[in-house]
Amino acid sequence: MSVHSTARKITTNTLQEMKAAGEQITMLTAYDYSLAKLVDRGGVDVILVGDSASNVMAGQATTVPMTLDHMIYHAQCVERAVDRALIVVDMPFGSYQGNSRLALESAIRIMKESNGHSVKLEGGSEIVESIERILTAGIPVMGHLGLTPQSIYKFGTYTVRAKEGEEAEKLIEDAKLLEAAGCFAIVLEKIPSDLAKRVSEAISIPTIGIGAGPDCDGQVLVLHDMLGITTDFSPRFLRRYLDLENQIEDAVKRYCDDVRSGDFPKDSESY
Ligand code: KIV
């Protein structure tokens, strides 16, 4: 029987068992009750309440403006919908960097107020003290290396990271550091496939890739991108499974036509 039976509630241990058994981990983002319910029913293993909510829900250019209150609100909505998946909540920019005490307080707020199951932080050696302090409270932590969107003003672009030797070697060292600190998994974003393979082989906790090739232990996409709701963002790693932008626009047009022509509502749709 596969480790990730659809009846079983997913925990951080399940993900570890999946890596050991060579089973791919599936992860998608969600930010609201209705879509989180469908994503959970669809059988995804991990739901990430990502700070990408800043882009796809709030229409902001970066994830930097997200606050702890925003993340807790989205996580509360998702948590009410989810029966099976493990819920990971992004810690927003400014809630953990450079201050491990603040990091612990922020993570505790997320856990107490949203009922999420774990938190995710972006970065390596620079934030390991914050990760260690959060872990002392028994809060599971997912790491995030490679392209870390909260540092966009340091990088200057959203292009592939760690193509060069020094940055690639630091990323491998950071992954080992996060594993030693006690993280239960690491997201690898937009790095070369061969580097992601090296990292996945070098550590025993699962790696979950986005734009990091086929050799990670799992994959994650932003829900609105893979459903084709957002089409202004088309990186090469994105596979679209639906074309909801056009389908929704078409449904809205047909509704407007029906109301304007008097076709809606009919007697059978009235009291
Ligand atoms: O916020 C987010 O959606 C993420 C994923 C891109 C991994 O961090």
Side-chain angles (χ1 to χ4, degrees), residues 27 29 31 48 50-52 90 120 144 187 189 210 220 222:
M27 174 158 131
T29 64
Y31 320 97
L48 171 65
D51 61 358
S52 49
D90 258 339
K120 175 164 81 59
H144 184 152
V187 165
E189 180 163 355
I210 174 162
V220 55
V222 168

Side-chain angles (χ1 to χ4, degrees), residues 248-263:
I248 292 173
E249 246 183 68
D250 183 56
V252 171
K253 276 189 196 130
R254 287 192 291 116
Y255 164 76
C256 291
D257 288 347
D258 289 351
V259 171
R260 287 177 188 135
S261 70
D263 182 68

